Amino acid sequence: RGPISLQGEWSFYWRKFIPAVAFSASSAPLPDRFVGVPGAWHGLELEDGITQGHGYATYRLRVSLPPDSPPLALKVIDVGSALVLYANGTPVHSAGVAAESAEASRAAFRRGVVDIPRSEDGTLDIVLHVSNFHYRTGGAWEHIVLGFAPDIRDLNELTLAFGLLLSGSIGVIALYHLGLFSLRRQDRSPLYFGLFCLAVVLRILSTDERYLTQLLPTLSFSNLIRIEYGSFLLAAPAFAAFGKTIALGSFPDWMRRAIIYLGLVFTAGVFLSPPEAFSLWLPIFQLYLALGTGCGIYVFSRAVIEKRQHARAFLFGFLVLALAIFNDILVSIGV
């Protein structure tokens, strides 16, 4: 079979970095509890209390392998916000510096394909040392995928190619509309739509496969998160301005101004504060985005009722966009 996602229940040790070699002994330490991966560790109930967003922990999973298994590999994307990954007791991947204090740790995202050392007893023991002192919560956020090494590399290249194709296509649309505006400046709708497309491109490059970290290897964790948040916060005002130019009287001025001004204020807050502060505002940002999307549905539905030109096509396109937005919000909260 092809690559599989290692989602499910992992052993979890809160505020402990258990040495990977300890799990090779006959008496491995008992976990504090089992937790679902992927998922954040915030709010987990333990005997000595409830976990907080900041802290450190060990995750462990034991995988039974088929006899004479060919070379295997792991595909790793996001673990928040610093990681050391061990396979059969050997460190094979790291991102940032996982440590027991904020002073000693350093946050970073580092995706990659990791080759797995061969196992003599037909098992694979995966241990994660994860710390987070730079974001609202930590944990193994994304799926870790296991498979035969060639299959994992093919999967990695395919997902990268899809992300680049998508961002490149939308980037071309952005440049085309910005070019139209440069030739005919009295019509601002291409400008606003071009800016909206650029924001979407930045959102794609800063999330999913985090390809922006490969384009800009020196990009810091803080600035990457600022781009991730700022891109969707700026997309809403740009689309609201664009919607005003095409929906005309169907878009109330107070609604348009609220979307634009709130988006700009939120964006300023993101770029003027550290991630551990503005990431706490994510539920507010998501509520703003959801309400703004609802306003867009209202505006284009009203344009259809008023029988404005091309209103049906705009409504259909915006409903597709709205589904993508709500899906993104649900994914970000773990649904």
Side-chain angles (χ1 to χ4, degrees), residues 23-199:
F23 296 107
S24 61
S26 57
S27 58
L30 294 176
D32 293 329
R33 60 169 291 168
F34 293 93
V35 298
V37 173
W41 65 35
H42 181 78
L44 297 175
E45 293 186 3
L46 304 176
E47 289 186 0
D48 56 351
I50 298 177
T51 59
Q52 304 299 316
H54 288 181
Y56 57 97
T58 298
Y59 290 78
R60 186 245 183 164
L61 181 71
R62 190 172 179 84
V63 182
S64 296
L65 301 176
D68 301 323
S69 173
L72 299 175
L74 294 171
K75 175 177 167 60
V76 184
I77 303 178
D78 275 6
V79 175
S81 55
L83 162 74
V84 180
L85 187 153
Y86 299 84
N88 292 330
T90 303
V92 294
H93 180 77
S94 64
V97 177
E100 300 178 359
S101 66
E103 294 75 18
S105 67
R106 181 173 62 84
F109 290 133
R110 180 171 170 257
R111 61 178 306 282
V113 172
V114 181
D115 291 319
I116 299 302
R118 285 187 176 275
S119 171
E120 297 179 358
D121 60 357
T123 60
L124 170 61
D125 211 76
I126 302 174
V127 175
L128 310 179
H129 286 176
V130 184
S131 71
N132 174 65
F133 297 96
H134 302 84
Y135 197 66
R136 66 189 180 94
T137 190
W141 296 337
E142 296 287 346
H143 299 270
I144 296 176
V145 182
L146 171 69
F148 300 144
D151 294 341
I152 290 293
R153 288 188 171 82
D154 289 344
L155 174 65
N156 184 60
E157 292 174 3
L158 181 63
T159 53
L160 274 177
F162 177 77
L164 290 175
L165 176 64
L166 185 62
S167 57
S169 301
I170 299 175
V172 169
I173 295 173
L175 293 176
Y176 172 76
H177 282 82
L178 293 175
L180 286 180
F181 173 71
S182 68
L183 297 175
R184 189 183 173 196
R185 303 207 169 197
Q186 61 269 30
D187 180 11
R188 293 190 175 184
S189 59
L191 170 65
Y192 299 139
F193 190 71
L195 293 176
F196 168 75
C197 290
L198 285 179

Side-chain angles (χ1 to χ4, degrees), residues 217-234:
T218 60
L219 183 66
S220 68
F221 172 85
S222 297
N223 288 332
L224 175 65
I225 299 298
R226 288 189 177 99
I227 293 172
E228 177 185 342
Y229 277 58
S231 57
F232 80 79
L233 289 172
L234 285 174

